[in-house]
Amino acid sequence: MIDIDILKEEFKRRFGRDGIAYVAPGRINLIGEHTDYNGGFVFPGAVEQSIALVISPNGNDMVNAYAVDLQLAASFSVNDTEGPSDVNMRYVYGVVREIIASGIAVEGFDVVYGGDVPLGAGMSSSAALECCFAYALNDFFGGGRLDRMTLAKIGQATEHKYVGVMCGIMDQFASMHGRKGSLMRLDCRSGEYEYYPWHPDGYRLVLVNSCVKHELVGSPYNDRRRSCERVASMAGVETLRDCTWEQLEELRPRLSDEDYRRACYVLGEKDRVLAVCDALQRDDYETVGKQMYLTHEGLAKDYEVSCVEIDFLVDKARQLGVTGSRIMGGGFGGCTINLMKDSLYDSFCSEARQSYKDRFDVECQIIPVVIGDGARKL
Ligand code: GLA
């Protein structure tokens, strides 16, 4: 759990007064990976791991920010049109500029922030950071006038315009809308969503962080998105959500093998999300788990966003009798998400840890999933 007192003390030490605290969480995603920017469904939940900040206005036009975990300080004017070059500070700067663009008069402020969402683990530490700032600035300078979906879009626009990752809306949506004990099914085309209470009797969700840092900035993530957009436009539809298997097969001779396989993954994932929703109605976790393994296969072989360490963890999970396991989030490292029987948990932890250490000489990190609330004032 994040220790807010540390942030408050640091704020007082640096700026000589007290500030107000806000928090926004990272997320998990049960199923529906790389479907958000294809207009499809996702199934995320907010987690307890969060980013928090302590803020107070300073009466001028400067933002003075200090990132506790990175021991990184930066200052920029709210009117600066270039912003800092450090990528971590560009998240802060981007949110400030996007909030201003939405019509809120942001004034100068001092801020200290930090958190416990592991960086590069596929748990959306960057969305947590964006959402924490977006929520705080809207509350502080805008009297809370922007709604949560608008704030999520401000976070997403920050990634697009200031960091260069052409992400979908899932992470920021989850960080803004999370609810303790519930997963959410979001239709990324219409923006409609539903809460699904998550109390899987006899089962639990566990993350395993491979500690291979996933880095979406300047990464092949954007290439995947471009492939999907190319196929959608050739099929004459807005997104792959509206492309059928028949249309894809018709197009096949005109597609590169890579684009074809990527589109196959996305179409398959659409079907899997629906199968999971259906299975959840019946509390059929064995089917949910099977679909998770199938998602991993698609992400590894067709979408090509896995890596040897993650494939090893998924194979190990299967050998140990875990109900479902797959890479989670954007890919290229980070965490696996595992659905397992409660009774398996202890032996899974020790065997996964030991075998990973033997194979890669790296300690993996086991993270039990606790579904928490979305962005809020503390
Ligand atoms: C990253 C992006 C999300 C989503 C996932 C993959 O987390 O930020 O928008 O595309 O990857 O599902």
Side-chain angles (χ1 to χ4, degrees):
M1 281 287 266
I2 195 165
D3 188 346
I4 201 69
D5 289 336
I6 293 183
L7 296 181
K8 284 187 169 163
E9 278 159 28
E10 183 64 31
F11 187 91
K12 186 145 199 173
R13 208 176 62 71
R14 289 191 162 253
F15 301 114
R17 62 192 192 284
D18 290 326
I20 296 180
Y22 294 85
V23 67
R27 60 106 192 88
I28 52 120
N29 184 28
L30 183 64
I31 197 141
E33 219 63 270
H34 292 275
T35 45
D36 56 356
Y37 53 83
N38 284 301
F41 290 95
V42 291
F43 226 113
V47 288
E48 289 206 319
Q49 288 82 358
S50 303
I51 302 284
L53 63 79
V54 176
I55 186 172
S56 172
N58 58 22
N60 57 52
D61 68 353
M62 293 302 288
V63 173
N64 303 308
Y66 182 67
V68 172
D69 309 313
L70 307 168
Q71 300 186 342
L72 179 73
S75 292
F76 56 85
S77 160
V78 293
N79 303 314
D80 182 351
T81 49
E82 295 268 310
S85 53
D86 181 276
V87 75
N88 290 286
M89 283 298 161
R90 289 198 70 73
Y91 291 106
V92 178
Y93 171 75
V95 174
V96 168
R97 297 297 293 171
E98 289 299 299
I99 291 272
I100 293 174
S102 75
I104 292 177
V106 177
E107 290 160 26
F109 60 87
D110 299 330
V111 66
V112 163
Y113 66 92
D116 61 352
V117 190
L119 294 181
M123 292 174 70
S124 299
S125 54
S126 58
L129 177 60
E130 292 145 17
C131 290
C132 193
F133 272 88
Y135 188 90
L137 297 180
N138 176 49
D139 190 54
F140 218 87
F141 297 108
R145 92 172 98 114
L146 302 178
D147 63 24
R148 286 179 182 263
M149 196 59 107
T150 306
L151 294 174
K153 286 182 184 157
I154 282 176
Q156 184 192 25
T158 298
E159 297 271 356
H160 289 191
K161 296 195 217 164
Y162 302 86
V163 186
V165 177
M166 298 308 289
C167 65
I169 193 66
M170 169 169 73
D171 305 350
Q172 294 80 6
F173 164 82
S175 184
M176 289 305 315
H177 295 80
R179 181 182 287 176
K180 208 176 178 60
S182 286
L183 298 180
M184 298 163 281
R185 189 183 74 169
L186 170 69
D187 177 337
C188 298
R189 182 171 63 186
S190 68
E192 280 165 17
Y193 58 93
E194 260 180 89
Y195 288 94
Y196 276 67
W198 175 251
H199 307 293
D201 241 4
Y203 292 82
R204 64 177 70 181
L205 285 173
V206 178
L207 305 181
V208 181
N209 186 356
S210 65
C211 296
V212 176
K213 278 270 158 47
H214 102 150
E215 182 59 88
L216 295 186
V217 177
S219 80
Y221 179 92
N222 291 349
D223 293 348
R224 304 297 184 280
R225 182 172 181 152
R226 273 194 295 271
S227 287
C228 295
E229 287 168 352
R230 216 161 23 237
V231 178
S233 107
M234 287 171 74
V237 292
E238 201 176 320
T239 61
L240 286 184
R241 162 81 172 262
D242 298 313
C243 179
T244 61
W245 285 106
E246 292 72 29
Q247 277 172 308
L248 181 59
E249 285 311 313
E250 244 170 64
L251 277 181
R252 185 171 186 176
R254 293 162 51 212
L255 298 176
S256 69
D257 181 52
E258 194 174 74
D259 282 359
Y260 172 72
R261 282 186 294 118
R262 289 175 178 173
C264 278
Y265 162 76
V266 173
L267 265 57
E269 187 71 350
K270 279 197 302 191
D271 296 344
R272 286 186 287 272
V273 177
L274 297 179
V276 162
C277 291
D278 201 52
L280 285 177
Q281 308 287 349
R282 305 186 304 269
D283 288 333
D284 174 3
Y285 298 105
E286 294 302 313
T287 298
V288 174
K290 281 193 188 112
Q291 299 297 326
M292 290 169 74
Y293 279 119
L294 290 173
T295 291
H296 185 74
E297 218 174 286
L299 286 170
K301 299 202 175 112
D302 289 333
Y303 222 60
E304 296 180 294
V305 292
S306 189
C307 58
V308 280
E309 292 87 346
I310 292 278
D311 289 344
F312 176 88
L313 287 171
V314 171
D315 286 346
K316 187 45 75 185
R318 200 194 297 268
Q319 283 163 24
L320 294 172
V322 168
T323 310
S325 179
R326 64 177 193 81
I327 188 169
M328 186 181 75
F332 316 106
C335 288
T336 59
I337 179 165
N338 302 273
L339 175 67
M340 70 184 71
K341 292 223 168 85
D342 286 335
S343 53
L344 204 68
Y345 180 69
D346 291 336
S347 60
F348 171 78
C349 288
S350 57
E351 296 196 33
R353 266 199 201 105
Q354 190 57 51
S355 58
Y356 193 72
K357 173 101 175 91
D358 291 346
R359 172 75 172 77
F360 298 107
D361 201 21
V362 174
E363 305 277 351
C364 63
Q365 200 190 356
I366 308 246
I367 309 175
V369 172
V370 180
I371 307 291
D373 283 321
R376 63 203 180 275
K377 190 174 181 171
L378 286 175

